[in-house]
Amino acid sequence: MIFRQLFDSVSGTYSYLLASRAGGEALILDPVLEKADRYCKLLQELDLRLVKAVDTHLHADHVTGLGELRDRTQCITIMGEQSKADVVSMRVSDGDRVTIEGLCLEALYTPGHTDDSYSYLMGDRVFTGDTLLIRGTGRTDFQNGSARAQYDSIFNRLLKLPEETMVFPAHDYKGDTVSTIGEEKRYNPRLQVKSIDDYVELMNNLHLPNPKMMDVAVPANMHVGLHQDELAKEGLSLSARDAIASLGRPDILLVDLRESGERAKHGTLAGALHAPYPGICATLQPGGMLREVAAATGRRVVFFCAFGERSAMAVAAAKRAGLVNTAHIEGGIDAWKKAGGPVVMG
């Protein structure tokens, strides 16, 4: 496994690059905007292809690199379903799995620092975001934070993991890089409380100043979505209502770019072909499945995903590959459902 812990000294943020080789699919956790060049250089040096970029929560102390990395690499952006960010490609809930070739992270909903905080468990290690820090815990006094929720997340979720589980947080300000669940149980001063009420009192009396970047970072991080209106202007978008009206038309081929877990959880559209987004470029090349089907049938390929991000990127990829008779469903299956469109479950 390729594992890199990367540090931004300005905000004290750790980002993590993960891959398992073979086809070179990679994932990054909690990227920082100003470090995008560094990440891309490292990906190039290690001959990796960034497939997914994940934020553990809506950050207040730095501007996320999600949008920039998506624009540079066409990767899938991921956050928890509670996030106030305008659009990300994929939203996860507790127990969902985030996978790339050879690696799997389990999403653990661990609110408290913010109401959209997630940790990610991968085998012998857990990425705790700002929920559990090394010899500390994330503050709980803004962004719908809750000391009670955080106590529950830490004591009833994270500290129940095996003691040897390595802890990799999203921040550190003292130079520590890794800990273990066992160490934090024994030596983290904030975890030596006798009750939830003691913890709430402790957290409510920290009197910390707001993060320096908060007024800039939070609004910026809420608006990382890909602007889909450009495709609409070019006639390459179908509104959810227009897409519903075209269901079953013989001249249209619906292509579902979501992953199998999303399809099982949120349903599918009747007659849609399944072509997961990470492999889209290969299927659009000469000899690729989608290109061949489009050529053989003359049907217009209409992509859709969860919220319209992946499908918008797929239309752009099709354009680059010379396949012009494509479009996407604006707002994805989320908009389709809201407009009353039929969905096949199971």
Side-chain angles (χ1 to χ4, degrees), residues 18-20 24-27 51-52 98-105:
L18 311 170
S20 72
E25 288 192 354
L27 174 149
V51 174
K52 292 178 178 173
V98 176
T99 59
I100 59 170
E101 183 187 32
L103 295 176
C104 177
L105 282 72

Side-chain angles (χ1 to χ4, degrees), residues 142-217:
F142 57 79
Q143 286 183 267
N144 298 319
S146 161
R148 284 187 180 278
Q150 189 173 66
Y151 179 94
D152 186 55
S153 294
I154 293 172
F155 282 85
N156 296 322
R157 294 296 304 271
L158 296 175
L159 297 188
K160 295 282 172 74
L161 295 172
E163 292 213 343
E164 64 274 16
T165 305
M166 289 182 281
V167 173
F168 288 101
H171 287 286
D172 191 84
Y173 309 99
K174 306 175 299 298
D176 292 319
T177 56
V178 61
S179 180
T180 66
I181 291 295
E183 268 185 60
E184 293 311 307
K185 274 185 184 175
R186 285 184 283 280
Y187 306 121
N188 189 320
R190 290 194 188 166
L191 305 186
Q192 308 313 310
V193 292
K194 291 188 170 59
S195 69
I196 189 168
D197 290 332
D198 287 353
Y199 186 76
V200 170
E201 187 178 359
L202 171 72
M203 297 305 290
N204 287 349
N205 287 287
L206 294 177
H207 305 303
L208 298 169
N210 279 344
K212 293 186 196 117
M213 285 279 293
M214 186 171 171
D215 292 342
V216 175

Side-chain angles (χ1 to χ4, degrees), residues 5-6 43 95 115 124 129 132 142 166-168 182 207 214 222 240 253 284 289 297 313-315 317 325-326 333:
Q5 184 180 39
L6 305 160
L43 287 161
D115 60 354
D124 63 355
L132 177 60
F142 57 79
M166 289 182 281
V167 173
F168 288 101
H207 305 303
M214 186 171 171
M222 288 174 74
L253 175 64
L284 293 169
M289 177 194 65
T297 63
M313 292 190 288
V315 170
N325 195 19
T326 66
I333 203 161

